[in-house]
């Protein structure tokens, strides 16, 4: 459970404080509401046709509403390029996270 609360002075007492719960939500619902983007970081030397095919398969399988970004980098020249996938959006789920975790060439972050 995700609980939002605030601390405020207790009614008719300036010295005592109370904790007032403002909202309660299930954690499963929070991921859908609080996340906005999945960013995959890929070193350009490790980007192969097999990795690209696997990313394509995963994005087709987990279509959703969250933005997908790619961060390509070259370790030798230390150049970073960020690209947005305009046609592909994903649904961030535990299964998607597990699938991406099993690809050693990809690092990812959820924002």
């Amino acid at each position: 459970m995700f609980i939002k609360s605030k601390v405020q002075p207790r009614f008719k007492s300036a010295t005592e404080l109370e904790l007032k719960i403002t909202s309660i939500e299930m954690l499963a619902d929070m991921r859908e509401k609080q996340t906005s983007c999945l960013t995959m970081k890929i070193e350009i030397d490790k980007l192969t046709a097999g990795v690209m095919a696997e990313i394509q398969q995963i994005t087709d399988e987990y279509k959703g509403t969250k933005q997908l970004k790619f961060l390509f980098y070259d370790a030798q020249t230390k150049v970073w390029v960020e690209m947005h996938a305009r046609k592909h959006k994903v649904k961030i789920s535990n299964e998607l996270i597990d699938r991406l975790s099993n690809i050693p060439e990809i690092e990812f972050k959820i924002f």
Side-chain angles (χ1 to χ4, degrees):
M1 299 194 97
F2 183 79
I3 300 172
K4 280 188 178 179
S5 63
K6 63 181 180 178
V7 176
Q8 62 188 26
R10 193 171 190 137
F11 183 68
K12 294 187 178 184
S13 175
T15 59
E16 293 182 25
L17 299 174
E18 71 177 352
L19 181 70
K20 184 172 183 176
I21 296 174
T22 56
S23 68
I24 299 174
E25 296 186 47
M26 298 299 290
L27 283 177
D29 299 335
M30 289 304 298
R31 179 184 295 153
E32 188 63 32
K33 291 180 183 178
Q34 296 294 326
T35 59
S36 62
C37 175
L38 171 69
T39 301
M40 292 188 208
K41 179 178 158 185
I42 307 168
E43 188 175 345
I44 200 74
D45 294 337
K46 296 179 181 177
L47 186 61
T48 63
V51 172
M52 289 190 301
E54 195 164 359
I55 291 171
Q56 178 70 42
Q57 179 185 7
I58 290 171
T59 56
D60 288 344
E61 191 173 324
Y62 295 97
K63 289 184 180 186
T65 59
K66 304 301 177 186
Q67 187 176 16
L68 179 61
K69 295 180 186 178
F70 294 96
L71 187 59
F72 299 105
Y73 70 100
D74 186 356
Q76 295 173 348
T77 60
K78 298 183 180 172
V79 174
W80 300 78
V81 177
E82 183 176 342
M83 301 180 80
H84 300 266
R86 295 182 183 174
K87 294 183 181 180
H88 296 282
K89 295 191 178 209
V90 294
K91 179 181 181 189
I92 299 172
S93 65
N94 289 340
E95 294 82 17
L96 173 66
I97 293 169
D98 289 342
R99 293 275 305 270
L100 292 175
S101 297
N102 290 331
I103 304 172
E105 296 85 4
I106 296 175
E107 295 177 30
F108 64 93
K109 289 187 179 181
I110 300 170
F111 297 98

